[in-house]
Amino acid sequence: MRLAVLGVGLIGGSIGMAARARLEAPVAGFDPDPETLRRAVEVGALDEAAGSIAEACAGAEIVFCAAPVSALEALAGDALSVAGEDCVVTDVGSTKREIVAGLGEDERFIGGHPLAGAETSGVENARADLFEGARWYLTPTTYSGGLLYDRLQRALAELGARPQAIDAESHDRVMATVSHLPHVIANVLVSQAASELRDGSERMPDAGPSLRDTTRVAGANPQIWGDIFASNRESVAAAIDETVEQLRRAAELIREGDREAVAEWHRGAGADRRTLLESELGGGPLIQLRVVVPNKPGTVAELALALGRAGVNIEDMALYPAADMRTGAISLWIAGEQQAERALGLVRELGYTASVEPG
Amino acid sequence: MRLAVLGVGLIGGSIGMAARARLEAPVAGFDPDPETLRRAVEVGALDEAAGSIAEACAGAEIVFCAAPVSALEALAGDALSVAGEDCVVTDVGSTKREIVAGLGEDERFIGGHPLAGAETSGVENARADLFEGARWYLTPTTYSGGLLYDRLQRALAELGARPQAIDAESHDRVMATVSHLPHVIANVLVSQAASELRDGSERMPDAGPSLRDTTRVAGANPQIWGDIFASNRESVAAAIDETVEQLRRAAELIREGDREAVAEWHRGAGADRRTLLESELGGGPLIQLRVVVPNKPGTVAELALALGRAGVNIEDMALYPAADMRTGAISLWIAGEQQAERALGLVRELGYTASVEPG
């Protein structure tokens, strides 16, 4: 088996490394930026730096297109025009409907989307185990060649990923809700807060931990998100419409002023969050510990170290510095009641005040 | 000076401790729960457990009412009916318009709201330094006695807090945006995601770090939030209306599909977030480091410890476990470029891949 990778950033580079290590397949690569291409060879992501798309694709059985979303359709189209008849061409873009609409009638094209690598970028961060255990969506169409699909999904499984077929439309709709919408909402909320504070006669130095958490992803990577929003605009806009509808109902509920009804709605949201996180984590119910701490260097370390030594994993963590920046709280999420109980004991042994948050 | 505290949970208990330690004022307290009252004396929050509101208020110059929001107006009303003519009665509720509308014509009542203690609850977590450096809003009216206001705000400053006058309406409006609204949005978003996943034919095991952050506060403390939403319903509903309007505009912008316009909007949100956080932290621009890590016990500790040893403070932190739960990323927010640069060096020395996120 011979592979080609077009675009050798974090994802392309990691595909190359994983393929070389696990498939023992020779990997040719091309990148429009010669310096990136040179580095990709240097870090071991490629066997061969090709001088063109055609050169990279020559003799390849699988071609991975790993460019920014806005460039993917053209890139994959170019690859299809030079790839052999028995070559499967796939991509790694975060949205799938647009590219599948454009290329899905070619039996050799199968769209893909690995859920990995969102945390960083660049070939210097590439690694062979990036896809270990990661869901890798594939969006075949009725035109897709069965043998080509089989070859692709086997190769992905050998790279360590968990390939799963999904139609492009469902993919984009679900991603709109669980990934793209939170970014839209964070943007809107942070701008609304900034505007409220600008307009107010008061400076409000304490934005509050809830605003901090809810807006953490606001404004991240404008270019990438401009592309994603543009290529998934229908699903994202539809998800926003749904949020608008839900918010209207929430406003109505709150305006009515029925404390018990509001509390009930609030409890439902808490249950929904636990369901989501638990299905994601799979390590038993997720339990939140609140620890009151001095906000100084070393505190997080001390806590995390004590838990680490005891083999208790921290699934999620959030810091809440108090107004004086000298004290604060840390929330630790631990999977499973037994582990949470151990964690609570360990934290208290260190002399901290800690409690389990009511679920 | 003699003080009374009515309701001795986290806030009431901490007021008692701080007053005893810093004002050297005798503190009498009352709580409808005898066990709580007993514990408050035991942990040193009170000099004296009173048998009734009247007994606690006898001879007091300041009375702090620290009950749940829904009980505050009745409690403060009772206090005013038994307190002396030269006694100022204040409360610590998260919303101010309702209680000020009810009691603000009594020159002895001045509403208050310390921004502290949201991270935990209960008198066992009370501490004398809870209000150190914390903003403490006061909502005097045109009826409020000047000498009484002066006495109250001096006492708060001596407790370590930073008192600031604000009209009740502005207070509730700003709080609606920066504190109450994020909870509403987290609730709506988490329920929308849960519903999408329930309806979908696909299980989506990876909710994604953005959804995780944006919904972190969903469903927290239903009873407290039922009260807050009920007593601040007009401002919260108005803030939701504004969000609905902003989301409609965002949907329109995204539907139009102009990548550059969307990226520009996204960049604006990023700038708004930095402005908000920097005004809050005041330690120089906030810089985000992304560190690729194995998701195992001890990793957070190792990182935090290295930074702690070097005196670099972590202002905020978020964990992003990857799909396989064996790798992932950690975001660290460090205030100031020099500190961030040091942190980056330290993290890399430990052998981790790390980079500064573009601002």
Side-chain angles (χ1 to χ4, degrees):
Chain A
M1 173 119 72
R2 185 182 164 81
L3 304 185
V5 177
L6 308 179
V8 284
L10 172 72
I11 301 292
S14 296
I15 291 171
M17 285 182 185
R20 295 182 72 206
R22 293 167 175 243
L23 298 173
E24 293 176 27
V27 181
F30 174 74
D31 196 285
D33 176 25
E35 175 56 21
T36 299
L37 192 58
R38 193 191 60 72
R39 281 215 308 277
V41 174
E42 197 175 278
V43 301
L46 301 175
D47 292 286
E48 180 194 328
S52 66
I53 292 174
E55 195 183 316
C57 294
E61 285 160 81
I62 305 178
V63 175
F64 290 92
C65 301
V69 163
S70 60
L72 275 174
E73 189 173 339
L75 178 65
D78 287 350
L80 288 166
S81 71
V82 296
E85 273 182 31
D86 183 44
C87 175
V88 57
V89 174
T90 188
D91 77 311
V92 300
S94 305
T95 63
K96 298 270 62 78
R97 193 158 48 176
E98 222 173 55
I99 193 168
V100 168
L103 304 173
E105 293 189 16
D106 189 317
E107 67 156 359
R108 297 169 302 157
F109 180 76
I110 296 168
H113 177 206
L115 299 186
E119 69 272 17
T120 179
S121 66
V123 72
E124 58 275 17
N125 291 321
R127 53 188 215 272
D129 65 354
L130 185 68
F131 308 110
E132 184 64 41
R135 177 65 62 205
W136 194 314
Y137 286 105
L138 291 175
T139 58
T141 70
T142 51
Y143 299 97
S144 307
L147 290 172
L148 296 175
Y149 179 81
D150 186 58
R151 182 195 303 155
L152 177 58
Q153 69 94 13
R154 273 170 201 271
L156 298 183
E158 285 185 61
L159 298 184
R162 297 178 296 134
Q164 183 176 347
I166 182 172
D167 69 282
E169 189 139 341
S170 299
H171 172 277
D172 282 11
R173 201 186 56 238
V174 174
M175 280 295 150
T177 300
V178 305
S179 171
H180 311 162
L181 178 62
H183 285 79
V184 172
I185 285 182
N187 286 359
V188 162
L189 190 57
V190 82
S191 297
Q192 189 173 342
S195 150
E196 173 71 52
L197 300 188
R198 269 193 298 269
D199 298 348
S201 57
E202 301 293 332
R203 291 292 297 167
M204 170 76 53
D206 308 278
S210 57
L211 186 68
R212 182 190 282 241
D213 278 343
T214 316
T215 63
R216 185 167 277 132
V217 297
N221 303 315
Q223 214 50 60
I224 290 174
W225 282 96
D227 276 4
I228 290 175
F229 290 142
S231 75
N232 197 20
R233 55 182 171 273
E234 281 172 45
S235 296
V236 174
I240 297 174
D241 291 346
E242 172 64 20
T243 307
V244 163
E245 188 49 40
Q246 297 292 335
L247 281 174
R248 275 224 204 88
R249 273 186 231 160
E252 200 178 318
L253 181 71
I254 286 168
R255 270 205 178 92
E256 280 166 7
D258 177 343
R259 275 163 217 256
E260 204 29 64
V262 169
E264 189 53 40
W265 163 73
H266 203 71
R267 266 190 288 273
D272 282 337
R273 174 160 165 84
R274 280 190 299 279
T275 305
L276 277 181
L277 283 184
E278 284 161 19
S279 81
E280 182 184 355
L281 294 168
L286 204 63
I287 292 163
Q288 179 182 2
L289 305 187
R290 250 2 231 257
V291 188
V292 179
V293 296
N295 183 38
K296 64 173 190 195
T299 307
V300 169
E302 189 185 8
L303 283 173
L305 202 62
L307 269 54
R309 266 196 220 106
V312 175
N313 199 18
I314 300 168
E315 303 292 351
D316 199 3
M317 171 187 272
L319 310 189
Y320 302 98
D324 62 353
M325 298 308 295
R326 297 199 307 128
T327 63
I330 294 180
S331 276
L332 303 173
W333 282 265
I334 310 289
E337 278 173 32
Q338 216 176 344
Q339 290 290 75
E341 205 51 53
R342 281 193 72 197
L344 192 63
L346 290 162
V347 169
R348 285 179 174 159
E349 270 171 37
L350 291 173
Y352 294 107
T353 301
S355 52
V356 171
E357 282 293 289
Chain B
M1 174 120 71
R2 186 181 163 82
L3 304 185
V5 177
L6 308 179
V8 284
L10 172 71
I11 301 292
S14 296
I15 291 170
M17 285 181 185
R20 295 182 71 205
R22 294 168 174 241
L23 298 173
E24 294 176 24
V27 180
F30 175 75
D31 197 284
D33 176 27
E35 175 57 21
T36 299
L37 192 58
R38 194 190 60 71
R39 282 216 307 277
V41 174
E42 196 175 278
V43 299
L46 302 175
D47 292 286
E48 181 195 327
S52 68
I53 292 175
E55 193 183 317
C57 294
E61 283 159 84
I62 306 179
V63 175
F64 290 91
C65 300
V69 163
S70 60
L72 275 174
E73 190 174 336
L75 179 65
D78 287 350
L80 287 166
S81 72
V82 296
E85 273 184 30
D86 184 43
C87 175
V88 57
V89 174
T90 188
D91 77 311
V92 300
S94 305
T95 62
K96 297 269 64 81
R97 194 159 47 177
E98 223 173 52
I99 194 168
V100 168
L103 304 174
E105 292 189 17
D106 189 317
E107 66 156 358
R108 297 170 302 158
F109 180 75
I110 296 169
H113 177 207
L115 299 186
E119 70 271 15
T120 180
S121 65
V123 71
E124 58 274 20
N125 290 321
R127 53 189 213 273
D129 66 353
L130 184 69
F131 308 110
E132 184 64 41
R135 176 66 62 207
W136 194 314
Y137 287 105
L138 291 175
T139 58
T141 69
T142 51
Y143 299 97
S144 307
L147 290 173
L148 296 175
Y149 179 81
D150 186 59
R151 181 194 303 157
L152 177 58
Q153 69 94 16
R154 273 170 202 271
L156 298 182
E158 285 186 59
L159 298 184
R162 297 178 297 134
Q164 183 177 346
I166 183 172
D167 68 281
E169 188 139 340
S170 298
H171 172 276
D172 282 11
R173 202 186 57 238
V174 174
M175 281 294 149
T177 300
V178 305
S179 170
H180 311 162
L181 178 63
H183 285 79
V184 171
I185 285 183
N187 285 0
V188 162
L189 190 57
V190 83
S191 297
Q192 189 173 341
S195 151
E196 174 71 53
L197 301 187
R198 267 193 299 269
D199 299 347
S201 55
E202 300 294 332
R203 291 291 299 167
M204 171 77 52
D206 308 278
S210 56
L211 185 68
R212 181 189 282 242
D213 279 342
T214 316
T215 63
R216 184 166 279 131
V217 297
N221 303 315
Q223 213 50 58
I224 289 175
W225 282 96
D227 276 3
I228 290 176
F229 290 143
S231 74
N232 198 20
R233 56 184 172 271
E234 282 173 44
S235 296
V236 174
I240 298 174
D241 291 347
E242 172 65 18
T243 306
V244 162
E245 189 48 40
Q246 297 293 335
L247 281 175
R248 275 224 203 89
R249 274 186 231 160
E252 201 177 317
L253 181 72
I254 286 168
R255 273 206 176 90
E256 280 166 7
D258 177 342
R259 275 163 218 257
E260 205 28 65
V262 169
E264 189 52 42
W265 163 73
H266 203 72
R267 267 190 289 271
D272 282 338
R273 172 158 166 85
R274 281 190 299 281
T275 305
L276 277 181
L277 282 185
E278 284 161 19
S279 81
E280 182 184 355
L281 294 168
L286 204 64
I287 292 163
Q288 180 183 3
L289 306 187
R290 251 1 234 254
V291 189
V292 180
V293 295
N295 183 39
K296 64 174 190 195
T299 307
V300 169
E302 189 186 7
L303 284 174
L305 202 62
L307 268 54
R309 266 196 219 105
V312 176
N313 199 18
I314 300 168
E315 304 292 350
D316 199 4
M317 172 188 270
L319 310 189
Y320 302 98
D324 62 354
M325 297 308 295
R326 297 200 307 127
T327 64
I330 294 181
S331 277
L332 304 172
W333 282 265
I334 310 289
E337 278 173 31
Q338 217 177 342
Q339 290 289 75
E341 205 50 53
R342 282 192 70 197
L344 192 63
L346 291 162
V347 168
R348 285 179 174 158
E349 270 170 39
L350 291 173
Y352 294 109
T353 300
S355 51
V356 171
E357 282 293 289

